[in-house]
Amino acid sequence: MSTEISTDRVAAPEALTGTVSVLIPLALPKPYDYKVPADMELHAGSYVVVPLGTQELLGVVWGPGSGEVGHNRLKPVAEVLDVPPMPEVLRRFVDWVAGYTVSPAGSVLRLAIRAPGALEPARMRTAYILSDARPQRMTPARARVVEVAEDGFARTVRELAEEAGVSDGVVRGLVDAGTLLPVDIPTEVPFPDPLVEQKGVSLSEEQAAAAARLAGAVEAEKFSVTLLDGVTGSGKTEVYFEAVAAALKRKKQVLILLPEIALTSQFLDRFERRFGCRPAEWHSDLPGRERRRVWRGVAEGRASVVVGARSALFLPFCDLGLIVVDEEHDAAFKQEDGVTYHARDMSVVRASLGQFPIVLSSATPSLETAVNAELGKYDAVRLSSRHGEAVLPQVMAIDMRADPPERGRWLSPVLVREMAKALEAGEQAMLFLNRRGYAPLTLCRTCGHRIECPQCSAWLVEHRFRRELACHHCGYSAPVPKACPSCGAEESLVACGPGVERIAEEVAEIFPEARTVIVSSDNLRGPAAHEEVFAAIEAREADIVIGTQIVAKGHHFPWLTLVGVVDADLGLENGDLRAGERTYQLLQQVAGRAGRAERPGRVFLQSFMPEHGVMCALVSGRRDEFLEREARARERVGLPPYGRLAGIVVSAPDAGLAQRVAREMARTAPRADDVTVLGPAPAPMALLRGRTRLRFLVKAGRNVNIQAFLHAWLDGLKVPNQVRVSVDVDPYSFM
Ligand code: ADP
Ligand code: ZN
């Protein structure tokens, strides 16, 4: 069955005449008018080339001209490109995102056309088909080539030679003889059709009921939001695959959004097992050629399923009918640079504009989503048990005050004992510490000096394997000095606190026989390295896994039964409004790695405050009570989702300049009911990449149009060139 998306149901739009407005993918707030040349056919959404100043730039026709500038002063559109016009719903989405994030529409448009070469004609390569002419001299090798080519498919010289098992020369001989005729074919690999009729795994009763609800939402072909709330290992993926199948059966395109880090070949393999082929992929590591292929495939309806990171949301789908946001609570969905948008929230908007359903999947839903489900704005479907024999792991806290590690060590004797038991039983143990490197701080014993990044307000992190001190914010690095840079004392620098490398050192001392692997972005460069190490863990080639958050997500290690969290309190240190929620989510995810198959799992949280609400919730498994408490706490002080927030960061290479601009902004801030402007105050990262940073926080009631307030404040603002003012609506980072 072909899942090619029909484009004929989209009626051809009226051609635009006279003038058109064209949006250009630069930081420009609105489209500019251009003349339509007499011999050019343009539609809303056409990709065009237009002159701007001395340049010719790519743009998209946004609609009829605004008429703001007289016709005779307008320049004509230079060229129209042979690409399906940008769908109306995507143009409305671009405008919506620009409005919500208080960003220039042109900057948002850039997100939608970020695919090199996508707008150029497809490159062709030469392939060959069989003619009626046969060579005068027929050898057995030539006959084999003819036999292969007889099916009528076009193949390159290489392909023919390989399939026939002959040399390239034999094939070339047949070309010279006129037996093979050259034809031009696109260089791109076509998108295979997912096998939607193929049955997936047989679902449990609870899973089947959940899948039916999701499929029902797809069949309704209208906007709805469903939270798929299931414990880790409950089969959420298998369940939402049924919704994907339902959408594909209706010839709709599907987008599955994953946090970038979870986009592994493990996931793609699972998709392939269910649907018989790999989906199209979209993420930041995709080579340019592949970006072009996916972008075009999506625009032309040839690619029916995309699995991608947040930016996939801006692909030009011609008939999108379902979005699934997996791990919807994940902070990686928030884009922090440039246009700061939250891909989960914007996905809901995209579904609403396109009038189709969206599924938000998580074992630890965000408070925002949980509240919406509670209020009945979102539908909620629950999976309460793990699939098959697997049971949820038992979670226990280790009170580090009562059972402290030995001097100079980081693992409590309780945890060490449990690790020994697991290893004894031939099982795997994992130690989780969300800190790269060897030690987060290097201190001089003589003078107390702490080694900081020269460009950021951050300590340098020691990376012992690389023998350097590195800044995790700007990438600065330097060799570890022999003497204290401040007092000159030799042999006086000490490493303070642990990172994963230091834990590995301790493990090697305690368990010299165990095979240990560190999983952190430092020792794994690129997706292939990740795959390799995850495959090795699955194949039980490691006994102890020591990892940062990379190991927290999505992986299924059947032999892993013990998880030790080295510092469960770590995330609570930064006191932002989501610190508790995020620590809970992260640790719950990590805990979810344990005991996913027959053998039950156990999780130990090393904590200096086991009485803290987050630890209690993890140990007791009472998630909903925890969320409820968090919700009430935020409601009391009017924080999201019970109020609105926007962050504004003013930065400049010169501290005095940044302060002057921020003070001036404070003076001109408008006054409005139910809006408080806090600041300017030095940001927690008061210095970043050599720029001084000051922060404002705008706090507003839930019914306040915070965007209108920000426009009123910032639209007329003139700042010197070196000063940057960046706005973040619904901030997740308060650094
Ligand atoms: P979750 O996403 O909720 O953590 P998964 O969908 O990853 O759970 O499922 C956990 C494991 O159980 C996977 O290996 C999955 O293939 C398997 N699984 C889940 N449901 C079924 C089922 N009905 N039949 C067979 N295997 C299943
Ligand atoms: Zn730095």
Side-chain angles (χ1 to χ4, degrees):
M1 155 177 187
S2 164
T3 45
E4 187 114 334
I5 310 298
S6 68
T7 36
D8 53 19
R9 76 184 87 169
V10 186
E14 291 275 312
L16 296 167
T17 52
T19 66
V20 287
S21 67
V22 174
L23 188 62
I24 296 165
L26 297 175
L28 301 167
K30 58 180 188 136
Y32 292 153
D33 282 3
Y34 288 89
K35 261 194 281 212
V36 182
D39 56 350
M40 192 180 280
E41 186 177 321
L42 290 181
H43 301 278
S46 292
Y47 292 87
V48 292
V49 176
V50 291
L52 185 74
T54 57
Q55 303 180 67
E56 291 223 315
L57 295 172
L58 175 71
V60 175
V61 174
W62 224 240
S66 68
E68 277 168 19
V69 179
H71 187 271
N72 50 8
R73 287 172 44 216
L74 293 178
K75 291 185 182 165
V77 172
E79 195 187 331
V80 56
L81 303 173
D82 185 20
V83 183
M86 180 177 279
E88 200 230 358
V89 60
L90 181 53
R91 283 179 279 126
R92 279 196 291 144
F93 182 57
V94 166
D95 280 334
W96 204 99
V97 174
Y100 189 83
T101 59
V102 193
S103 311
S107 303
V108 180
L109 178 65
R110 261 184 63 170
L111 300 174
I113 53 185
R114 217 183 261 166
L119 303 167
E120 287 154 25
R123 247 170 291 164
M124 294 297 196
R125 58 181 176 160
T126 307
Y128 296 89
I129 52 171
L130 206 58
S131 74
D132 291 333
R134 290 291 171 272
Q136 286 174 342
R137 195 170 60 82
M138 192 57 131
T139 62
R142 287 182 162 189
R144 278 206 298 283
V145 176
V146 169
E147 203 177 303
V148 167
E150 249 159 10
D151 63 7
F153 284 113
R155 290 180 180 78
T156 61
V157 169
R158 199 78 273 279
E159 286 164 350
L160 281 168
E162 250 164 42
E163 280 184 53
V166 302
S167 71
D168 289 7
V170 174
V171 180
R172 292 235 172 71
L174 286 170
V175 173
D176 294 340
T179 305
L180 292 172
L181 292 178
V183 289
D184 281 343
I185 59 166
T187 47
E188 283 172 356
V189 188
F191 293 92
D193 289 332
L195 305 173
V196 291
E197 302 297 348
Q198 173 171 303
K199 270 197 70 65
V201 295
S202 67
L203 299 176
S204 72
E205 210 169 298
E206 192 186 39
Q207 288 173 333
R213 288 266 293 281
L214 298 186
V218 169
E219 277 143 24
E221 292 204 8
K222 63 181 175 47
F223 172 61
S224 64
V225 188
T226 309
L227 166 62
L228 176 58
D229 175 2
V231 299
T232 51
S234 58
K236 293 187 290 298
T237 315
E238 307 294 345
V239 167
Y240 73 62
F241 276 171
E242 296 314 302
V244 172
L248 292 174
K249 278 186 198 160
R250 304 180 93 79
K251 304 256 192 283
K252 295 287 184 183
Q253 288 172 302
V254 176
L255 170 61
I256 302 174
L257 283 183
L258 299 177
E260 185 121 12
I261 198 168
L263 237 174
T264 59
S265 69
Q266 247 189 3
F267 183 89
L268 300 172
D269 288 346
R270 274 182 81 171
F271 186 93
E272 186 167 2
R273 247 175 281 141
R274 173 63 182 84
F275 293 106
C277 66
R278 293 224 151 193
E281 272 177 77
W282 186 265
H283 53 80
S284 57
D285 281 339
L286 214 59
R289 217 172 347 98
E290 192 54 16
R291 289 178 91 77
R292 179 197 191 280
R293 183 176 91 98
V294 174
W295 195 94
R296 287 296 281 235
V298 164
E300 290 161 10
R302 290 179 287 110
S304 47
V305 183
V306 176
V307 175
R310 59 188 179 225
S311 58
L313 192 52
F314 291 93
L315 283 170
F317 291 97
C318 59
D319 197 5
L320 189 55
L322 173 68
I323 300 179
V324 178
V325 183
D326 201 346
E327 313 281 13
E328 69 87 27
H329 61 277
D330 199 300
F333 284 123
K334 180 70 195 280
Q335 163 80 37
E336 300 282 3
D337 295 330
V339 179
T340 56
Y341 64 93
H342 199 300
R344 181 234 306 140
D345 298 346
M346 294 306 114
S347 294
V348 173
V349 172
R350 178 70 181 80
S352 150
L353 291 175
Q355 286 298 304
F356 58 77
I358 173 167
V359 175
L360 307 178
S361 174
S362 177
T364 53
S366 63
L367 189 69
E368 278 79 358
T369 298
V371 167
N372 279 323
E374 188 68 36
L375 294 174
K377 284 202 224 164
Y378 293 178
D379 202 6
V381 177
R382 296 214 151 76
L383 296 173
S384 54
S385 57
R386 279 194 160 175
H387 165 70
E389 300 301 302
V391 292
L392 283 172
Q394 195 188 355
V395 182
M396 287 153 282
I398 296 175
D399 187 339
M400 296 292 272
R401 295 163 305 192
D403 292 304
E406 286 170 36
R407 236 186 101 74
R409 294 210 158 157
W410 313 97
L411 304 177
S412 162
V414 181
L415 181 54
V416 171
R417 236 177 1 251
E418 295 296 334
M419 289 174 72
K421 270 196 243 163
L423 297 183
E424 190 74 12
E427 298 162 1
Q428 290 171 316
M430 180 164 103
L431 294 175
F432 173 77
L433 176 61
N434 206 8
R435 246 201 213 135
R436 294 154 49 199
Y438 184 82
L441 167 65
T442 304
L443 181 104
C444 173
R445 246 189 319 233
T446 312
C447 73
H449 177 72
R450 299 160 172 220
I451 303 188
E452 283 193 25
C453 175
Q455 321 181 68
C456 305
S457 9
W459 298 331
L460 292 181
V461 177
E462 182 183 350
H463 287 255
R464 195 155 282 191
F465 296 162
R466 297 204 306 257
R467 291 160 198 261
E468 61 181 25
L469 297 173
C471 173
H472 288 179
H473 298 278
C474 72
Y476 169 90
S477 69
V480 184
K482 291 233 175 353
C484 170
S486 176
C487 72
E490 302 218 355
E491 308 281 312
S492 177
L493 295 174
V494 282
C496 299
V500 280
E501 291 179 3
R502 195 168 201 173
I503 297 300
E505 191 179 84
E506 182 170 336
V507 164
E509 281 167 26
I510 305 175
F511 302 105
E513 308 286 294
R515 297 162 302 169
T516 301
V517 52
I518 300 183
V519 185
S520 121
S521 56
D522 292 305
N523 30 12
L524 303 179
R525 297 253 173 246
H530 283 83
E531 298 317 335
E532 207 173 303
V533 71
F534 289 134
I537 298 169
E538 239 187 299
R540 297 171 79 186
E541 286 162 25
D543 304 308
I544 302 176
V545 181
I546 301 166
T548 61
Q549 55 167 347
I550 298 183
V551 295
K553 287 167 196 160
H555 303 287
H556 189 67
F557 303 129
W559 286 91
L560 184 75
T561 57
L562 179 81
V563 168
V565 176
V566 176
D567 185 353
D569 311 332
L570 189 59
L572 297 171
E573 279 168 15
N574 89 1
D576 82 49
L577 80 113
R578 293 186 181 85
E581 182 193 342
R582 274 155 85 162
T583 301
Y584 176 83
Q585 287 161 347
L586 180 60
L587 296 186
Q588 183 69 32
Q589 289 282 332
V590 175
R593 299 310 108 210
R596 289 173 68 93
E598 296 89 48
R599 301 190 175 208
R602 278 160 325 132
V603 179
F604 291 87
L605 310 172
Q606 296 198 143
S607 172
F608 284 92
M609 39 183 176
E611 65 286 347
H612 192 286
V614 169
M615 305 309 148
C616 293
L618 288 163
V619 169
S620 68
R622 297 211 184 110
R623 184 197 78 188
D624 291 344
E625 272 172 38
F626 168 72
L627 280 177
E628 178 64 24
R629 259 201 322 278
E630 285 281 306
R632 294 295 76 81
R634 286 203 213 160
E635 191 172 24
R636 270 196 303 280
V637 288
L639 285 172
Y642 300 95
R644 297 179 181 279
L645 281 185
I648 299 177
V649 172
V650 181
S651 72
D654 176 80
L657 181 59
Q659 277 152 5
R660 242 181 355 266
V661 170
R663 265 200 305 273
E664 179 60 16
M665 282 175 64
R667 211 181 47 76
T668 58
R671 269 167 237 297
D673 284 346
D674 213 4
V675 180
T676 322
V677 176
L678 305 167
M685 290 290 297
L687 190 68
L688 182 63
R689 297 189 173 88
R691 298 175 73 88
T692 297
R693 303 166 77 242
L694 293 141
R695 260 191 95 92
F696 289 96
L697 198 60
V698 182
K699 196 164 166 281
R702 187 151 42 165
N703 298 319
V704 171
N705 182 341
I706 200 168
Q707 286 81 8
F709 177 87
L710 292 168
H711 278 297
W713 187 7
L714 305 173
D715 278 358
L717 189 72
K718 290 263 180 305
V719 298
N721 263 340
Q722 311 95 294
V723 178
R724 256 201 313 265
V725 176
S726 49
V727 178
D728 186 357
V729 175
D730 304 335
Y732 276 64
S733 161
F734 295 83
M735 299 309 275

